[in-house]
Every structure is written in structure tokens, then in C-alpha cells.
Amino acid sequence: MPRYLSLVRIDEKTAPAEGPSPELMQRMGELIEEITKAGVMLDTAGLTPSAQGARVRWAGGELSVTDGPFTESKEVIGGYALMQCKDMAEAIEWTKRFLKVHEDFWTVTCEVREIAEG
């Protein structure tokens, strides 16, 4: 079965400074447990805020390193899910369910991509 990576992009301006609410974490935990029991979830994790990260870039034969936060970005990668699904449609359905556990004030976008095997 193909594997899919769902990159979770968040708008850090709409995310609460204190992080996800306990209620959101509860709903997310329940959904992750369901996805795992269904044999779909291979791995998932959230990431620390972009202020604690760095970007390493190669351009024109030169390396550069930029410390976060990345003010030029509207959205940053806030986490990921690695899933094994029968097809893209199934991966999208699980991703929709993940997005719906968030409160209305969050701005979250998931980019779902099939992993190229071989």
C-alpha cells in the first residue's frame, strides 16, 4: 500500500501562544488512536515553534542559515503525519478528520503527498 505524508501547516499568528488547548489535544489523541488502530498511522508529531528553528538554504553555490522565526512566511510546518492508505482519497479523508478537531480560530492547512517509492 502506498504511503502518504501530510504536512501540517499552521498560521502562527492565529495559533494560541500557549499552544493547543487540552480539549484539542484530547480530540487529537482520540483520532490518532483511531487512525493507528485502523493500521493507517505510521508516525506523527508536532514541531516546536518556528522561532526555535532554522532554515538552511543552498542557492547559487552558497549556503546560508536563517534562524527562526520566519517572518516572511504566512504559514509554517507545525507537524506531520505519515500514513499508509489504499489511495489518495483515503489519505485525504483522514486528513479532513484531523483538521476538523481544531477550534474555529485555528488556520491549518495540510498538504498531502504520496511518497515516491524506490
Side-chain angles (χ1 to χ4, degrees), residues 26 29 52 74 82 89 91 99:
Q26 169 87 26
Q52 297 172 21
K74 178 172 172 38
L82 179 60
L99 289 172

Side-chain angles (χ1 to χ4, degrees), residues 1-20:
M1 278 204 309
R3 294 181 304 154
Y4 297 87
L5 181 65
S6 179
L7 291 172
V8 181
R9 298 180 186 273
I10 63 168
D11 181 343
E12 288 185 313
K13 294 178 189 105
T14 65
E18 66 277 3

Side-chain angles (χ1 to χ4, degrees), residues 62-103:
E62 299 282 326
L63 276 173
S64 64
V65 178
T66 305
D67 292 331
F70 312 118
T71 56
E72 70 279 6
S73 297
K74 178 172 172 38
E75 294 180 326
V76 298
I77 298 173
Y80 70 92
L82 179 60
M83 301 176 288
Q84 189 163 24
C85 302
K86 65 181 183 224
D87 54 27
M88 176 65 87
E90 181 184 13
I92 289 170
E93 284 306 311
W94 284 113
T95 301
K96 286 179 180 178
R97 290 191 56 198
F98 168 77
L99 289 172
K100 288 181 179 180
V101 302
H102 291 78
E103 293 95 352

